[in-house]
Amino acid sequence: MRRTDPEGHGPVRYGPPLPGDGLPVLPELADVLADAAHRTEEEPVGGAADLRDAACGYWARRGLPADPSRVAAGPGAPSLLLALTGALGGDVLVPRPCAAWWAPYARLLGRPVFHVATPAESGGVPDPYALLETVRRVRAEGGDPRLLVLSVADDPTATVAPPEALHETVEAAQGEGLHLVSDETWRDTLHAPHDTVLLSPAEMLPDRVTVVTDLAGALLPPGWPAAVARFPEGAPGEALHARVLDVLTAMGATVAGPVAAAAGYALDEPGPVTVRRDGAVRLHARVAAAAHAAVVATGALSRPPQAGRHLYVDLGELRDALGAHGVGDAQELEDFLTARLGMPAPGGHRFGDDLGALRVRLSTGPLLGGTDEERTECLTSPSPLELPHVQRALISLRSVFDDLRDDAQRWEPPR
């Protein structure tokens, strides 16, 4: 992860990658990739028929029937979002904070990006009243808002938007004529899937929502870039699909042949894939809960993580203690915690948050150990939090935040 300009903390140009699962590659996936390594022909733009069919089956099992003619694959979600932004035109609206890779692709195209506040209970989905006010203001200033990008299961906040809140936002977006891109990369990583209701905006507004899923969320290693997009039915969806394929063609954005084979296998969700995915979700849910308990015990603020492999922490309550270490903004906090923790701790400014807010995203993958053997042991152990290397990692995390808490108490004025 490259840092921003050290002089004045200039615009963030390089966001942190998606939080990886920290686990070795599933052997069955590696076998599929290896068996396809002899392929020499180029994959078609938008994905071959078998990959698009597999994506349709994946969405159908989640209550989102799709036609292969309305599906496109690309080498990662960023390429699909870039193509969608280019095809739709206009200004882009995103929640604050949002995934680090959303805004840079709009800026790359010269499109203004407007951040919209989220409600207190969850991130990823803008507050409907804030959305309406932002659209009104942008149009009053001569702007042309057309696209809203949101995420029900969110990176960076690791929260899941309640269906009622999502419905209000979708209604507001529909009333303003916006097209929605729903980033559903993390929908299969719910920590309590039987207690958490996740609805896709495409279920509420099927004719104006494009769903994008990066397979690095739950199905493929991050180093095997592949993502799929589901377009709306009807003439507008058909036209958008065609324009996106044009942009992907211009970029040469195709999925590598061996990766396409692995992606199709993963999207079919055979037994080995689902067992690994479910085990990884349970593991990261337990580690995330332990990490969350460690940081909030020191006075930091963080919503309980509900999805993904990360948590979002606000250290504003420890500002005085951090100031004694020369930390006054999110970039300095990123540098400080990355050095102290020995793991990436990207600051909130990378996710569209204010530079002055002391917020970071912490990932759970680095807490699973330093070798494939240790990480595999985490996956197979009935008590992964009791493994020595996981205990050491959590103790180290707790120690860094405990030191900050102790510093903060020393800074408190006498009563």
Side-chain angles (χ1 to χ4, degrees):
M1 184 176 66
R2 297 176 64 178
R3 74 166 283 169
T4 58
D5 183 350
E7 297 297 326
H9 305 328
V12 177
R13 291 183 286 273
Y14 304 100
L18 293 176
D21 66 6
L23 299 170
V25 175
L26 179 68
E28 288 81 359
L29 271 178
D31 290 342
V32 172
L33 187 82
D35 289 343
H38 66 279
R39 290 188 180 183
T40 57
E41 67 276 10
E42 186 178 12
E43 287 291 302
V45 173
D50 54 352
L51 176 55
R52 290 182 285 114
D53 286 340
C56 289
Y58 168 87
W59 278 312
R61 290 188 292 275
R62 286 151 181 82
L64 292 173
D67 187 279
S69 65
R70 296 291 191 279
V71 172
S79 63
L80 293 175
L81 182 59
L82 177 64
L84 280 160
T85 306
L88 285 163
D91 302 342
V92 181
L93 303 166
V94 297
R96 183 190 298 277
C98 68
W101 53 274
W102 290 358
Y105 289 93
R107 290 199 295 264
L108 183 65
L109 294 170
R111 302 286 166 74
V113 179
F114 298 92
H115 289 267
V116 186
T118 55
E121 64 268 25
S122 63
V125 175
D127 176 87
Y129 299 104
L131 176 64
L132 291 172
E133 175 58 23
T134 302
V135 171
R136 183 202 64 76
R137 175 174 55 82
V138 171
R139 286 180 175 152
E141 295 174 356
D144 182 23
R146 297 187 195 177
L147 172 61
L148 169 64
V149 188
L150 49 74
S151 180
V152 180
D154 185 43
D155 171 22
T157 66
T159 58
V160 177
E164 58 274 14
L166 175 65
H167 189 268
E168 292 178 0
T169 298
V170 169
E171 278 193 332
Q174 180 184 24
E176 297 299 330
L178 302 177
H179 188 90
L180 279 68
V181 169
S182 177
D183 177 8
E184 301 188 5
T185 295
W186 301 104
R187 70 167 297 154
D188 294 328
T189 65
L190 300 183
H191 295 180
H194 300 295
D195 300 323
T196 307
V197 178
L198 185 151
L199 291 181
S200 170
E203 299 177 66
M204 303 176 180
L205 193 61
D207 60 337
R208 296 193 69 87
V209 177
T210 299
V211 176
V212 173
T213 300
D214 196 309
L215 303 193
L219 296 175
L220 289 182
W224 301 4
V228 287
R230 174 191 181 273
F231 292 82
E233 294 293 331
E238 180 180 4
L240 178 60
H241 177 259
R243 292 197 300 273
V244 165
L245 291 183
D246 287 342
V247 178
L248 293 175
T249 300
M251 295 193 299
T254 60
V255 183
V259 174
Y265 174 79
L267 285 165
D268 282 335
E269 299 181 290
V273 169
T274 56
V275 169
R276 163 59 74 87
R277 180 192 64 207
D278 295 346
V281 170
R282 287 193 299 269
L283 170 62
H284 283 281
R286 298 175 74 172
V287 176
H292 178 263
V295 299
V296 298
T298 66
L301 302 177
S302 175
R303 298 183 184 105
Q306 297 175 284
R309 303 184 282 261
H310 52 283
L311 60 154
Y312 199 56
V313 184
D314 186 334
L315 286 86
E317 296 294 319
L318 305 176
R319 182 175 291 277
D320 289 342
L322 287 163
H325 295 281
V327 174
D329 63 28
Q331 180 63 68
E332 291 166 349
L333 179 62
E334 173 184 308
D335 295 340
F336 175 78
L337 285 180
T338 296
R340 289 292 182 96
L341 296 172
M343 57 184 265
H349 62 305
R350 296 185 180 272
F351 308 100
D353 244 334
D354 293 333
L355 178 64
L358 297 178
R359 300 185 184 120
V360 294
R361 186 190 70 186
L362 301 179
S363 300
T364 50
L367 303 176
L368 303 183
T371 66
D372 282 352
E373 290 74 18
E374 289 179 341
R375 295 162 183 156
T376 300
E377 190 178 7
C378 289
L379 193 61
T380 57
S381 171
S383 304
L385 299 184
E386 298 177 8
L387 295 173
H389 55 277
V390 177
Q391 283 189 335
R392 286 194 299 269
L394 288 171
I395 289 172
S396 176
L397 174 71
R398 191 176 299 115
S399 175
V400 170
F401 281 86
D402 283 346
D403 288 347
L404 289 175
R405 178 199 57 200
D406 294 343
D407 289 346
Q409 290 174 347
R410 283 193 291 270
W411 278 88
E412 287 181 359
R415 298 181 180 179

